[in-house]
Amino acid sequence: MARTSGPETRDRLIRAAEELFAAQGVHGAQLRDIVARAGQANPSAVQYHFGSRAGLVDAVMAGRQVRTEDVLAPLLAAAPDDTHALVGALVTAEASELGTDRGRRCLRISAQLSHESGVRTCTPHPTLAGTGYWRLIGRIADRLAADGLPEPLLLERLDLALTVVGAAMADRARQYLDGSEPLTGEALFLADLVETTTALLRAAQPEQAHLLPRKDLS
């Protein structure tokens, strides 16, 4: 077997992980299968290069985040402080991953990790700290707070909205990967996702007492 450099081996492991995490699940895929798919003889290659399964997952998501950040940056700079516009920027950036098989696999992986973003605790996951994605979440939170939504409900809605967007993108990605025929064209799918997610965030507030003051998501 030909020797490979450290960076090349890392990249092979990441790409193999993308394939198997997407197909078998982040917790279902076996590390030995990822190592074999990457063409590595050392069964401890994942531990050597990433420390653990979690480290490999973070590396996969960090690469995916770099790609979407490039799309999100100009959208975020141009978006007004309006929930609909900000959700539109989020959906557009996420949809950029639908264009390649690699991106589609990463969308399927992201959906499995949607509750690990750190929104509920106002503490970003390390792969999201300092990113445009986290700033976007903070701007949506600020807008919802300005509309009078109290913190506990605001955080739950934000987490749910990200889950909805992630699940919808993952399902569309699955259809593309499987060669299935979606019910709607991509433009209509994305437009409807923006509308339904915005409606979820803007839904009327139910009666609720003894709510805590809002934390800072910035």
Side-chain angles (χ1 to χ4, degrees), residues 7-214:
E8 183 178 350
T9 299
R10 282 178 58 89
D11 185 63
R12 288 186 178 185
L13 289 166
I14 287 171
R15 287 177 177 269
E18 289 169 354
E19 293 182 24
L20 294 182
F21 286 160
Q24 301 174 11
V26 168
H27 302 293
Q30 299 297 311
L31 294 184
R32 63 175 179 271
D33 294 336
I34 292 172
V35 170
R37 178 69 63 91
Q40 301 304 303
N42 182 356
S44 300
V46 169
Q47 285 80 1
Y48 178 80
H49 287 280
F50 303 99
S52 64
R53 176 188 296 267
L56 178 56
V57 173
D58 285 351
V60 169
M61 290 294 94
R64 175 245 203 277
Q65 194 65 37
V66 167
R67 296 193 299 273
T68 52
E69 286 285 304
D70 287 343
V71 178
L72 180 59
L75 298 174
L76 190 57
D81 285 323
D82 170 79
T83 303
H84 186 274
L86 293 169
V87 171
L90 168 67
V91 169
T92 300
E94 294 291 283
S96 65
E97 287 286 87
L98 288 171
T100 66
D101 282 353
R102 185 178 194 183
R104 294 162 187 167
R105 294 186 188 105
C106 285
L107 286 172
R108 296 196 66 189
I109 297 166
S110 295
Q112 302 173 52
L113 306 170
S114 62
H115 290 299
E116 297 182 19
S117 64
V119 166
R120 286 176 179 258
T121 60
C122 301
T123 305
H125 186 278
T127 59
L128 297 179
T131 63
Y133 184 84
W134 191 256
R135 289 193 297 275
L136 172 60
I137 292 172
R139 286 181 63 183
I140 295 174
D142 289 342
R143 182 65 264 160
L144 297 178
D147 290 340
L149 202 63
E151 182 194 47
L153 196 56
L154 183 158
L155 295 177
E156 284 196 339
R157 283 195 187 180
L158 264 177
D159 192 57
L160 178 58
L162 295 175
T163 300
V164 167
V165 170
M169 290 290 181
D171 186 58
R172 177 63 58 137
R174 176 193 59 77
Q175 292 174 72
Y176 287 173
L177 288 167
D178 293 347
S180 304
E181 184 68 28
L183 289 173
T184 59
E186 188 169 302
L188 178 57
F189 161 72
L190 296 176
D192 189 58
L193 184 57
V194 172
E195 296 300 328
T196 53
T197 305
T198 301
L200 184 160
L201 291 169
R202 287 178 171 171
Q205 177 184 332
E207 292 295 328
Q208 185 75 20
H210 308 299
L211 294 173
L212 299 175
R214 180 177 167 268

